[in-house]
């Protein structure tokens, strides 16, 4: 894909960027590597000061930045504001807590002193997607810079202005030159950057395909990698659940970011005892979601981010119907300019259909009826992915079993899944490995150095 800002609400090209030349990439790598040598010695207090300034800048420039996000990838403007607020909160969280998280850990042995100290690793490459063009970057950036690492960002090609804005914000916040740079490069240039000896590790958020390519190369190079890939998260509703609350959260979770979130609920596993009622309420709520101009405050679902996303979603819905799924509402592209798709609900997709195993990235929900808890757990786990799950029941025994038996990086009970800087975030199975956020996320790109003093 060309590196260009294209408004998904209109299909209009805003600006095209040339990819960096090999020379320009080398200059940036050299700068990053030099920056690490001095930045690793910058005291935590100063890093925290810059991080707090960064949070302030995100808030001061929120109107302009939110419009940029919405213009480049189409999410409703209110959601763009919420994304920036969350980034600012993460900056403050790490500014506040990094010293505690990185304090040496004493371990009693026969030696006079033994402990673990946390050293930064160096220059980390971040390959990021377009769906949360600020948040995906900030959840890497805030802990990495507080830890003393240096970042290079290869952002998705449809959000170059967001990528450049992030670099500029970091600089204005007072972080030393070269601490965080954006590389406007194409897919084919990533392996050269990753192979460069000045890069010590890579973090990638995106599709399974991208994760496999980058993870395989990092493995071969023996460089640390963290992969946050797709999800097909289950949303399980048992008969004792508060049905109205479950439906409200189900719709919100499926439609967040116009359905383009890794932790959106995608498969709704509903107990037979309440299935008919759930289906009626859910279909009606999905059908009444306001789809439209993402710049308007009242819009709940905007266009999909790119024409390719729209075509892929359209193809997945058609494949599901062809395979035998029943269409309960929506199902079509919305004609006219922009990449809009109707909020859609499908039921009874046969488990043998190839699309059953896909991540569906758009406002399209799949409903499954189950007869008992065992079947609910089996259905929830019947996916290559294992990112997160939301389970709705007031029965403590059911809660316990769901928490223990769901195969996912997170299980939220009677709550929709959301990331939180205080909690580890990441998946198992094909959803990737490693954790972001919390102390666990910060330590992914650090050397846990064992020190023993006789
Ligand atoms: P990609 O995974 O292709 O893109 C994510 C990032 O990875 C981009 O910066 C992309 O850059 C880069 N990338 C992709 N392939 C490679 C590679 N071989 N080597 C190095 N970097 C690479 O996502 P798409 O935008 O193509 O979306 C496709 C599907 O992926 C979606 O429909 C959705 O299912 C899933 N997805 C999931 C996300 C999540 O948060 N879980 C986020 C985004 C997508 P470039 O485009 O230049 O190749």
């Amino acid at each position: 894909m060309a590196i260009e800002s294209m408004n998904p609400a209109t299909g209009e090209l805003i600006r095209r960027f040339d990819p960096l030349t090999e020379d320009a990439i080398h200059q940036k790598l050299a700068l990053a590597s030099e920056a690490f040598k001095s930045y690793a010695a910058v005291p935590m207090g100063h890093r925290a000061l810059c991080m707090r300034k960064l949070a302030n800048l995100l808030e001061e420039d929120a109107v302009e930045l939110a419009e940029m996000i919405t213009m480049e990838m189409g999410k409703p403007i209110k959601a763009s504001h919420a994304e920036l607020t969350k980034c600012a909160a993460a900056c403050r969280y790490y500014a506040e807590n990094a010293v505690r998280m990185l304090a040496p850990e004493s371990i009693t042995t026969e030696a006079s002193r033994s402990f673990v100290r946390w050293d930064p690793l160096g220059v980390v490459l971040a390959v990021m997607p377009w769906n949360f063009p600020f948040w995906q970057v900030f959840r890497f950036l805030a802990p990495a810079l507080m830890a003393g690492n240096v970042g290079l960002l290869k952002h998705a090609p449809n959000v170059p202005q967001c990528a450049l804005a992030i670099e500029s914000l970091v600089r204005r916040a007072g972080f030393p030159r070269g601490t965080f740079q954006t590389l406007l490069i194409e897919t084919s240039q990533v392996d050269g950057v990753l192979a460069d000896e000045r890069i010590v590790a890579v973090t990638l958020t995106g599709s399974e395909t991208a994760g496999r390519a980058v993870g395989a190369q990092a493995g071969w190079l023996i460089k640390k990698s963290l992969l946050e890939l797709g999800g097909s998260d289950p949303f399980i509703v048992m008969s004792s659940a508060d049905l109205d609350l479950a439906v409200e959260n189900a719709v919100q979770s499926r439609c967040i970011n116009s359905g383009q979130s890794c932790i959106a609920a995608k498969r709704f596993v509903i107990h037979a005892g309440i299935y008919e009622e759930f289906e009626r309420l859910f279909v009606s709520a999905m059908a009444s979601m306001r789809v439209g101009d993402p710049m308007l405050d009242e819009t709940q679902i905007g266009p999909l981010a790119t024409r390719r996303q729209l075509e892929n979603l359209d193809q997945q819905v058609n494949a599901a119907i062809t395979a035998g799924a029943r269409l309960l509402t929506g199902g079509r592209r919305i004609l006219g300019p922009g990449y809009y798709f109707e909020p859609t609900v499908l039921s009874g997709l046969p488990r043998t259909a190839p699309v059953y195993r896909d991540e569906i990235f758009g406002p399209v929900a799949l409903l499954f009826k189950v007869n008992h808890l065992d079947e609910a757990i089996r259905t929830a786990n019947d996916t290559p992915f294992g990112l997160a799950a939301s389970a709705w029941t007031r029965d403590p025994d059911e809660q316990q079993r769901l928490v223990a038996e769901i195969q996912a990086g997170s299980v939220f009970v009677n709550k929709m899944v959301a990331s939180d800087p205080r909690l580890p975030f990441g998946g198992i199975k094909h959803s990737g490995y490693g954790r972001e956020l919390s102390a666990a996320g910060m330590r992914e790109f650090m050397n846990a150095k064992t020190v023993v003093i006789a």
Side-chain angles (χ1 to χ4, degrees), residues 251-454:
V251 174
Q252 211 186 327
S253 181
R254 178 57 286 202
C255 295
I256 195 163
N257 212 32
S258 310
Q260 306 162 112
S261 167
C262 48
I263 47 167
K266 292 170 188 146
R267 295 174 302 126
F268 297 82
V269 178
I270 314 299
H271 189 266
I274 41 125
Y275 180 87
E276 308 306 329
E277 186 64 353
F278 181 92
E279 182 185 288
R280 189 179 64 75
L281 294 170
F282 181 70
V283 169
S284 146
M286 284 289 283
S288 61
M289 288 296 278
R290 284 187 299 274
V291 183
D293 180 353
M295 287 295 179
L296 301 177
D297 268 355
E298 62 268 25
T299 295
Q300 293 170 304
I301 297 179
L304 297 181
T306 62
R307 177 178 294 282
R308 202 175 66 178
Q309 285 300 125
L310 177 69
E311 285 167 357
N312 193 30
L313 187 69
D314 196 24
Q315 189 262 323
Q316 285 176 313
V317 169
N318 288 330
I321 294 168
T322 307
R326 208 155 61 87
L327 180 66
L328 303 177
T329 185
R332 286 170 309 173
R333 294 176 181 199
I334 298 175
L335 294 177
Y339 312 139
Y340 290 94
F341 202 87
E342 292 174 342
T344 296
V345 184
L346 296 161
S347 70
L349 175 66
R351 285 157 204 209
T352 48
V355 68
Y356 178 81
R357 309 195 80 72
D358 283 358
E359 176 174 37
I360 297 189
F361 232 49
V364 175
L366 302 176
L367 299 188
F368 298 93
K369 192 196 285 189
V370 291
N371 293 306
H372 43 73
L373 187 64
D374 285 340
E375 193 183 352
I377 293 170
R378 215 167 37 243
T379 307
N381 288 338
D382 187 18
T383 165
F385 297 106
L387 193 54
S390 176
W392 294 74
T393 167
R394 285 186 278 212
D395 177 332
D397 293 338
E398 285 184 349
Q399 290 182 356
Q400 212 174 359
R401 281 200 57 200
L402 286 157
V403 166
E405 294 177 41
I406 295 284
Q407 298 163 352
S410 311
V411 179
F412 283 51
V413 177
N414 296 331
K415 202 167 165 47
M416 68 177 258
V417 177
S419 60
D420 178 327
R422 296 166 296 183
L423 298 170
F425 181 86
I428 59 170
K429 295 161 76 177
H430 290 193
S431 292
Y433 49 76
R435 291 292 176 268
E436 296 192 277
L437 301 174
S438 74
M442 190 170 206
R443 290 171 177 176
E444 288 281 356
F445 296 115
M446 304 201 80
N447 175 17
K449 187 186 278 168
T450 299
V451 182
V452 177
I453 300 170

Side-chain angles (χ1 to χ4, degrees), residues 27-105:
Q27 280 170 26
K28 285 181 185 279
L29 279 163
L31 178 60
S33 171
E34 275 311 302
F36 176 66
K37 287 180 197 152
S38 48
Y39 183 61
V42 168
M44 284 295 248
H46 187 71
R47 292 182 206 160
L49 203 70
C50 297
M51 199 53 79
R52 287 197 178 91
K53 176 84 196 302
L54 183 54
N56 295 344
L57 289 174
L58 284 163
E59 288 167 349
E60 283 163 25
D61 294 359
V63 171
E64 187 187 308
L65 296 172
E67 281 175 7
M68 180 189 290
I69 295 173
T70 296
M71 190 274 296
E72 281 200 318
M73 56 68 64
K75 78 173 61 187
I77 191 78
K78 268 191 173 167
S80 296
H81 277 282
E83 181 171 339
L84 293 165
T85 302
K86 193 163 177 170
C87 292
C91 291
R92 294 199 177 100
Y93 174 74
Y94 279 104
E96 192 75 18
N97 290 287
V99 168
R100 173 181 60 78
M101 290 170 178
L102 302 184
E105 284 173 25

Side-chain angles (χ1 to χ4, degrees), residues 57-219:
L57 289 174
L58 284 163
E59 288 167 349
E60 283 163 25
D61 294 359
V63 171
E64 187 187 308
L65 296 172
E67 281 175 7
M68 180 189 290
I69 295 173
T70 296
M71 190 274 296
E72 281 200 318
M73 56 68 64
K75 78 173 61 187
I77 191 78
K78 268 191 173 167
S80 296
H81 277 282
E83 181 171 339
L84 293 165
T85 302
K86 193 163 177 170
C87 292
C91 291
R92 294 199 177 100
Y93 174 74
Y94 279 104
E96 192 75 18
N97 290 287
V99 168
R100 173 181 60 78
M101 290 170 178
L102 302 184
E105 284 173 25
S106 276
I107 300 169
T108 307
T109 64
E110 298 73 31
S112 67
R113 272 186 79 200
S114 37
F115 59 95
V116 175
R117 56 172 268 148
W118 298 96
D119 289 345
L121 282 185
V123 185
V124 182
L125 174 65
V127 181
M128 291 293 156
W130 42 264
N131 57 343
F132 292 88
F134 271 64
W135 173 241
Q136 302 280 21
V137 177
F138 271 78
R139 72 183 184 199
F140 157 71
L141 179 164
L145 294 197
M146 280 311 297
N149 286 313
V150 160
L152 282 173
L153 169 66
K154 183 266 179 261
H155 218 325
N158 55 325
V159 289
Q161 298 198 58
C162 289
L164 292 169
I166 295 170
E167 175 180 297
S168 156
L169 286 162
V170 173
R171 195 72 194 95
R172 282 166 57 209
F175 284 99
R177 198 165 155 263
T179 321
F180 191 86
Q181 301 174 81
T182 282
L183 302 177
L184 291 183
I185 56 173
E186 292 173 329
T187 327
S188 58
Q189 296 172 292
V190 174
D191 58 355
V193 173
L194 182 51
D196 190 286
E197 62 184 13
R198 289 164 290 196
I199 297 285
V200 293
V202 61
T203 178
L204 178 140
T205 301
S207 62
E208 222 181 311
T209 313
R212 276 181 205 283
V214 169
Q217 198 200 351

